[in-house]
Structures are given as C-alpha cells and as structure tokens.
Amino acid sequence: MNETLERLGETIAGALAGSVVGYWVAYGELTVTASARDIVKVATFLRDDERCQFYSFVDITAVDWPARE
C-alpha cells in the first residue's frame, strides 16, 4: 500500500512541479503539500487526471505564520 501511495505522490509532485512543494506517506495515508495560490489547480488535477481520479477529500488544512512576510 505504501509503495502505491509513494508512486502516486511522485506522480502528483512531478505533474504539478511548482505548485506541489512536497508529499509524504505515513500511517497508510498520502499527504501532499501545495502552495495556497494553486489549491484549485491541484484539486482540479486530482479530480481530472486519469492517474488520480479523486472523488473526495478527507482534509484540507492551512498554516498561518504571522511573523513571516
């Protein structure tokens, strides 16, 4: 299972270079980190690309760093 998720993460990161800043697999789940400005682009790719075909999101989160510009 983790190998499949690892390949999927590589596929997503490769197809969305510049929008996806990282991914990792832990506890049987794939986490993808993307730039906030590109979240619609990433979500659209995950839904529409034949290698992904996502139909549901479990979680989308954000982090605010007030001290950063």
Side-chain angles (χ1 to χ4, degrees):
M1 176 71 138
N2 283 354
E3 291 176 19
T4 301
L5 292 174
E6 191 69 37
R7 283 194 307 272
L8 180 58
E10 290 172 7
T11 297
I12 294 166
L16 296 169
S19 297
V20 171
V21 296
Y23 73 92
W24 66 92
V25 177
Y27 307 106
E29 295 181 358
L30 171 63
T31 299
V32 176
T33 302
S35 299
R37 70 180 180 278
D38 294 327
I39 195 65
V40 172
K41 176 182 176 180
V42 173
T44 301
F45 174 83
L46 294 174
R47 181 193 66 199
D48 294 345
D49 190 271
E50 63 190 30
R51 297 167 292 179
C52 300
Q53 299 181 359
F54 282 44
Y55 60 90
S56 176
F57 282 102
V58 173
D59 198 8
I60 295 178
T61 62
V63 176
D64 181 24
W65 301 97
R68 291 185 183 179
E69 289 186 30

